[in-house]
Amino acid sequence: MSSQNVDMAVDEPAHWPEPPLPPPARSYSVPLYEPDLTVGYVYSAEMTNHYDSKEHPEDPKRITSIWRAIIKAEYHQRMKCIPIRPVKRHEALLVHSEDHWDKVLAIEHMTPQQIVDSSEYYEQLSLYVMQGTTRAACLSCGGAIEACLAVARGELQKTFAIIRPPGHHAEPDEHMGFCLFNNVAVGARVVQQSTDIKRILIVDWDVHHGNGTQKAFNDDPSILYISLHRYEGGTFYPCGPFGGLQSCGEGPGLGYSVNIPWSEKGMGDADYIHAFQKVVMPIAMEFAPELVIISAGFDSALGEELGECHVTPTGYAHMTHMLSGLAGGRLVVALEGGYNVEVTTKSAMAVLKVILGEPPDELPPLVASESATEVVWLAAKEQSKHWRSVDPKLCEPREEVEPITFSIPEILKAHRQYYLQSVHNMMTVPLLGDELNKKLSSQIMCTHDLFENDTMVVFAHELWDPLSLSD
Ligand SMILES: [Zn+2]
């Protein structure tokens, strides 16, 4: 140490506390502190490299349009961008088989001719593929994982994954229905494996049953899967009994798959909210998840030709709001279906608004349809075997019975007629004219020998109304 340094040390003043620094100069438009963002999103235009050369409902515009609306509403300034990345092999294998992984990865290396030659095979599975498919599918799945991890690790409260291709039809061994990897299922499994969160609720409001997601967790009680979808006796895609009322999981997972299978198209806000209030939320509260993931398909929306249901953006907002109260507010929304670009965008924006902390818009007075009430009641009956909070009696459809009333004089008149007929063998005198008939029909009786006897005795019996006596 040089002598100069020693001198400087000696000259140092006593240890007074440092005065606080003055706030940096700033303009009014710049906040003093970094905004504490609690909501995040995942998005990449790279997922648009998967598209069909022919017109196809699963179109890249589904996500670009949502993204554009976010920019226009300046929501991106209120949300943190979560970097997207492709799913890793070991992550995909938490849900999918190795064969499945290899199958999806191989698509990238197909020649244009191989793609043409295989199109029939893929069409059978309601899929189209091209070179960009693998990358888009990997990013979509990786995006869902990152959206889930950001919430599960406590870095963010809520996230929205603007991703495609969708995932909920992709089964452990099979890609189908526009889906390559099951984004949400893989996201849930990665969370379970790499964080302390184990109990996860997945609510799927896509108009189709998420067969892939239910299959991935059918025997697993740690993941509760609840789906509301068109079913119509198992004739609506993906068809078969797996999306039915009685398909409630198996083995240790029995009771942890909940299907609310609509018996017809046209279900709207009143029907979905009725199902939420009577079945979805009671079960969700009893399950008490540590994380909620919404498989947000907007093909159940009003104006969506494919789903032909009537859920409005406000309806989706209310469902999101109800689910936001669970799991300490830890919520992930992942895009699934939704093929009318405008409708999907509006619906997604209504959900985003709620995620950003704004209340949902008001709904008009709602009454569930007869058909939805019936399905919710049947679902409640089925689920009450597994969940104590579900009370089918509270869901019983109300019989709208016309009140049947008889006045006492009418009952007495009917009895008198019956008595005279059965005991004294008297008969009713037919009357001429509608007016008379209406007023006195069945009230004028006579004996069979009316025309043979010289004498006719007439009894006139006027009935009083006993209720009028109080006057
Ligand atoms: Zn769908």
Side-chain angles (χ1 to χ4, degrees), residues 206-417:
D206 188 285
V207 80
H208 302 99
H209 175 235
N211 55 299
T213 315
Q214 185 176 335
K215 206 161 190 181
F217 308 123
N218 210 35
D219 60 355
D220 184 347
S222 70
I223 296 188
L224 169 62
Y225 176 69
I226 305 182
S227 177
L228 306 99
H229 50 268
R230 267 178 77 183
Y231 182 65
E232 289 155 48
T235 58
F236 195 72
Y237 190 85
C239 303
F242 196 44
L245 279 172
Q246 273 94 34
S247 173
C248 302
E250 58 188 14
L254 183 64
Y256 293 89
S257 289
V258 176
N259 284 316
I260 300 172
W262 301 130
S263 54
E264 58 185 29
K265 62 185 177 184
M267 296 297 127
D269 292 345
D271 307 314
Y272 277 78
I273 285 171
H274 178 66
F276 259 65
Q277 288 174 330
K278 299 290 190 218
V279 176
V280 178
M281 293 310 292
I283 292 179
M285 298 291 280
E286 193 176 329
F287 179 68
E290 296 163 301
L291 172 70
V292 178
I293 308 175
I294 303 178
S295 260
F298 297 111
D299 44 8
S300 43
L302 178 68
E304 165 73 57
E305 301 79 4
L306 203 140
E308 297 176 292
C309 279
H310 298 156
V311 183
T312 67
T314 310
Y316 289 119
H318 277 267
M319 290 194 278
T320 308
H321 193 250
M322 284 190 253
L323 295 170
S324 296
L326 299 164
R330 286 182 291 272
L331 177 70
V332 179
V333 182
L335 185 66
E336 296 280 2
Y339 305 102
N340 179 318
V341 171
E342 195 186 328
V343 166
T344 296
T345 304
K346 277 191 185 149
S347 308
M349 291 301 282
V351 169
L352 265 172
K353 209 172 107 171
V354 172
I355 285 181
L356 283 164
E358 290 178 41
D361 290 343
E362 263 177 79
L363 281 168
L366 297 176
V367 178
S369 66
E370 226 174 87
S371 137
T373 310
E374 175 87 13
V375 171
V376 168
W377 176 49
L378 295 174
K381 277 214 273 193
E382 195 60 48
Q383 294 305 327
S384 64
K385 296 174 194 165
H386 312 291
W387 302 94
R388 282 191 291 174
S389 315
V390 180
D391 186 351
K393 278 196 211 91
L394 296 177
C395 308
E396 223 164 302
R398 267 192 239 172
E399 298 248 349
E400 296 297 333
V401 186
E402 287 265 321
I404 304 168
T405 54
F406 294 102
S407 70
I408 292 175
E410 273 169 30
I411 296 168
L412 289 174
K413 280 178 202 168
H415 172 73
R416 182 182 58 191
Q417 184 195 16

